Amino acid sequence: MRTHPRSLARLVGPVLLIGSFFALAACANTPGNTYDPQGDHARRIYELLIPIWWMALGVFVVVQGLLVYAVWRFRRRPGSAAMPAQVHGNTQVEILWTVAPAIIVLVIAVLTFRTQAANAVMPADAMRVTAVGHQWWFEFQYPELGTEGKPIVTASDMYIPVGRPVTVVLEAKDVIHNFWVPKLAGKTYMIPGKTNYLTFTAEQPGIYRAVCAEFCGEAHALMRFRVIAIDAAEFDRWVAQKRVPPPAPSGTLTVNGLTGDAARGQALFLDARKQCISCHAIEGTNARGAIGPNLTYYGSRQTIAAGILPYSPENLGRWLREAPGLKPGNLMSRVLTPQWIRANLSDQEIADLVAYLDSMKVSVALPPER
Amino acid sequence: MAIAERTAGTISPPDIHARPGWAGWLSTTDHKRIGIMYLVSAFIFFLIGGIEALLMRIQLGTPDNTFLTPDVYNQMFTMHGTTMVFLAVMPLNVGLGNYIVPLMIGARDMAFPRLNALSIWLFIIGGLMLYVSFFAGGAPNVGWFAYAPLTQKQFAPSAGVDYWIIGIGLTGVASIAGALNFIVTILNMRAPGMTLSRMPLFVWMQLVVAFILIFAFPVLTVATIQLLFDRHFGTRFFLPAQGGDAVLWQHLFWFFGHPEVYILILPTMGIISEVLPTFSRKPIFGYAFVAYSGVAIGFLGFLVWAHHMFAVGLGPLANAFFGAASFLIAVPTGVKIFNWLATMWQGSLNLTTAMHYAIGFISMFVIGGISGITLASPPINVQQTDSYYVVAHMHYVLFGGAIQGIFAGVFYWFPKMTGRMLDERLGKWQFWLMLISFNLTFFPMHLSGNEGMPRRIYTYEAGMGWELWNLLSTIGSLLLAVAVLLFLWNMLTSLRRGAIAPADPWDGATLEWAVSSPPPSYNFAVVPTVQSRRPLWDRKYPHLHESHDPGEESMERLGAVMHDAAETEPPIPAGAIHMPSPTYAPLILALGIMVLGFGIIYLGDLGLAAAAAMLVGLLVMAGGIVSWVRISHVDSPHHAH
């Protein structure tokens, strides 16, 4: 296993090729890419990362270069039995390479603390949104924007205005969760019994992917949400609509050949025997369940069941039929077992419920996915 | 020069102290046999932990895969982490230390041979109890870090968490007892003339680790017992809904957990500091810097625990302190790397398999160290923590570092332990396959992490840009398994057909190479007298002796004056050397503790039946203790010291 200089030189090409492939791939505009920041918090982190990345690359090249050179240069050649000089050390050299890393980390520390201070600022005029982590979905409350002391409450889609700082007040209902919108801001834990704060400003309108990043039990992988950043005027329009309860449902919706009736669907939803209102609330109705997500204006959700299915009436029907299989462990599946559904929810009733939930819509011009 | 008679080429004397067959192993108090039992059982756990990793990689190979259910996946990553930390890497290091440290310091055994036997049995039983959980309602599924309050009974009702508490508890007792044993052995049983400044660096690192261990492990033990009480006896230490504190668990866990990283890596740094000089035919460059940087790392390791908690919301001031302390660790780590490079510089590098692994260690550990810098910076950390970037970083440190270091140690000392050489050609194939597949497995995780892939997810959706990285990781992990199988094959065939190992196959410098391979049960017929850091080397190459480091000389004069008399002492006949008798007492005591443990797990649920089991356990323990005391009594009158 001897390494020749020529074979080393031949390695340079492939190594550069592979390296640039990884570098390009890492910069691709994928939905959760922290190297593509779209918010001030994430951007400051990215801008701190770049100089550190170059320093790290320098250290990497120097140390690996010395290592490879030493192996090649000082390898024992056949027939050479010469004993190397028995050098025990050199204090000056050692002080030098004790001080050198110390200087590098000092520089990194200074840069770090500047960024840290900037990212800890919580402006007084920031809009407050309370985010609550549940097993396994995110609830969002807008205490400053509701009516009569009641906040606007929604789940899984967090609407924010572009260009205005938002302070997210982070809480958890059951176990620890972790609020992460990679393109907008770094993570902050949501801890039961403790309140955390995270401030960031979205710089671009867009729909941003977000997840729970702390292991929180069986369906942790299926606990996702979206941050929907829209310009201020559009955000005000969203708020104005969310402040009033949905109008009385009317109309029908045909899904997979079955026509559901929205008004009938509302009656079913409010029927205690169907169990919906034990957990769910809808503004303007008697549904006041506080265990599951608030379903007011559900027809405007981007996803179903905390980001696991794109929103569509078809998928909503599928969710009502197959909740246990789609999201193992979730609370709804403990009530809506296959046997219970067979006994208590006909396909027509599901179509009616879908028609009702789909009928409640907020009109907002949606930004592109980023 | 007064080291032991070299017994190269001679057959080792019959082991007069051991019982034959299985009984010999079950009743042994010989540090070498105990070391081998540690290595074999830890290697089996390493294989099991590896299988768990493979199952996870298969599940994550493609998006929306359904190979494992979420609950099974969660059990897999919990058991993989727990197994690799507590049942594989730690005991592999302990096994090497158990075998080699007494030989390196010229001792005939550990200071407390029976306590040593208790440690191995508690370790094996603790590991088995963790795995019993699979058959008792499901393995723990809360992560090896077991964050509160997810571990509370309402969120994790299965007994898996209880088995985790007891299993970890038993291995913890084993570790603490082992650490005390190492400290007393290293401080009190060094051969005449072996001052601390002449001690081999592997011994130094084992000593540092033993001290870390006795400060770090009790914290984990206390936290897990609090958790046990929360789950069964109505306390609320970690239950916020009833006034407890979920973050308290994290402080306790990481106050143990970060020093634990150094418990895993420092012994392997000690191995590298032995292997590199031997195969460079040079002394270690800057012995004192290498030794003290290990001490510094051990000390700083206690000041950085909250860098695992930067996203917890401890506040900017606390984060800044823990960030700065974490940066500081780069300094002693950098010192070690540069000293290793300088050791190789102008050496005559004999590129054996062990040397390949030592060089691979440096190369991969540097990558893990560099990726750790951004994790130490609180603002960057909050993007990277809990993402696959951390998985990448941590495996560069613990696989690219610790595991490769252990392989270096195994290829280096296997001839000493077994009397057979491992196949070098196969070993080098294994090294290259492992290096390539390791990087294929873990390098892409940096990228998937930075592209937003969180840890501990059993599945992910297509279109996030993570597909390619995960597929590469999965392919890499399968090749990595092949590399491990190559080693298994190499080991099994070499044990039977490998070349016979001479006493000193590598032209070593330290005392373990002065005795036969494998060494006799009493190690040294004559306890050697040591006059330098490289006692065997100086005996073989006396003409090179004058080029000594002046700092060492002044320290050595004292020891040399005191122990010159030993040179003229005639060899003692083998039978006359007093060694501790074999005994089943430690095994009986450990079995009693096991029964007690089962009782504790079910005390909350079964009440009286479990209490009865606990009583039985206590009685067995009492039996073990009585026979322990009797054998100590029988042994003591013949004590040779």
Side-chain angles (χ1 to χ4, degrees), chain B residues 275-294:
Chain B
V275 171
L276 284 176
T278 296
F279 295 118
S280 305
R281 306 199 89 194
K282 279 179 63 194
I284 187 86
F285 191 92
Y287 172 93
F289 272 77
V290 177
Y292 291 137
S293 62

Side-chain angles (χ1 to χ4, degrees), chain A residues 103-342:
Chain A
I103 291 171
I104 294 176
V105 295
L106 190 68
V107 171
I108 293 175
V110 170
L111 296 174
T112 284
F113 296 143
R114 276 179 24 198
T115 303
Q116 199 193 4
N119 270 355
V121 171
M122 234 194 310
D125 65 332
M127 186 185 90
R128 293 211 161 198
V129 184
T130 303
V132 186
H134 299 257
Q135 277 182 322
W136 292 276
W137 55 282
F138 287 85
E139 177 180 357
F140 301 107
Q141 304 167 357
Y142 297 76
E144 297 159 356
L145 303 177
T147 44
E148 297 153 21
K150 272 178 68 183
I152 292 173
V153 181
T154 186
S156 294
D157 294 336
M158 179 175 154
Y159 284 82
I160 57 167
V162 170
R164 181 177 167 192
V166 175
T167 293
V168 190
V169 182
L170 297 150
E171 292 167 2
K173 198 78 185 168
D174 33 45
V175 301
I176 292 175
H177 302 281
N178 193 347
F179 181 97
W180 191 24
V181 200
K183 291 199 176 181
L184 298 182
K187 301 173 198 71
T188 308
Y189 277 30
M190 310 165 98
I191 301 170
K194 183 180 191 318
T195 303
N196 274 334
Y197 302 90
L198 167 68
T199 302
F200 62 87
T201 307
E203 294 168 337
Q204 291 265 11
I207 299 181
Y208 298 99
R209 296 298 186 95
V211 291
C212 171
E214 178 57 44
F215 179 65
C216 56
E218 191 170 2
H220 160 58
L222 304 179
M223 183 171 168
R224 305 168 190 156
F225 66 108
R226 301 277 197 281
V227 174
I228 301 169
I230 45 184
D231 62 50
E234 202 62 21
F235 182 75
D236 290 342
R237 234 159 64 76
W238 179 80
V239 171
Q241 293 173 75
K242 290 287 276 188
R243 282 163 71 108
V244 292
S250 64
T252 60
L253 179 71
T254 304
V255 178
N256 298 334
L258 271 179
T259 302
D261 180 274
R264 242 181 10 231
Q266 187 185 41
L268 286 166
F269 191 90
L270 298 175
D271 181 346
R273 285 171 301 175
K274 301 298 178 194
Q275 295 289 355
C276 307
I277 56 172
S278 335
C279 297
H280 295 288
I282 291 178
E283 305 304 330
T285 73
N286 289 329
R288 296 200 182 88
I291 295 169
N294 184 310
L295 300 182
T296 311
Y297 291 110
Y298 191 79
S300 287
R301 289 279 165 84
Q302 295 301 303
T303 61
I304 291 165
I308 66 171
L309 293 171
Y311 179 84
S312 72
E314 289 80 5
N315 279 341
L316 181 54
R318 197 178 150 210
W319 170 249
L320 288 174
R321 271 189 300 273
E322 303 170 31
L326 292 171
K327 193 164 182 175
N330 99 82
L331 209 51
M332 186 156 138
S333 68
R334 293 192 209 159
V335 182
L336 274 68
T337 59
Q339 300 87 323
W340 188 91
I341 290 172
R342 264 197 303 280

Side-chain angles (χ1 to χ4, degrees), chain B residues 27 63 72 88 110 124 126 134 141 160 191-192 299 324 332 350 386 404 461 516 619 632-633:
Chain B
S27 64
V72 170
M110 297 285 278
I124 290 175
F134 275 107
N141 54 4
F299 179 74
N350 183 6
D386 284 322
Q404 287 208 100
E461 59 186 322
S516 63
L619 287 173
S632 327
H633 186 68

Side-chain angles (χ1 to χ4, degrees), chain B residues 494-509:
Chain B
S494 297
L495 272 176
R496 298 166 65 185
R497 296 198 300 269
I500 299 292
D504 182 19
W506 311 122
D507 198 9

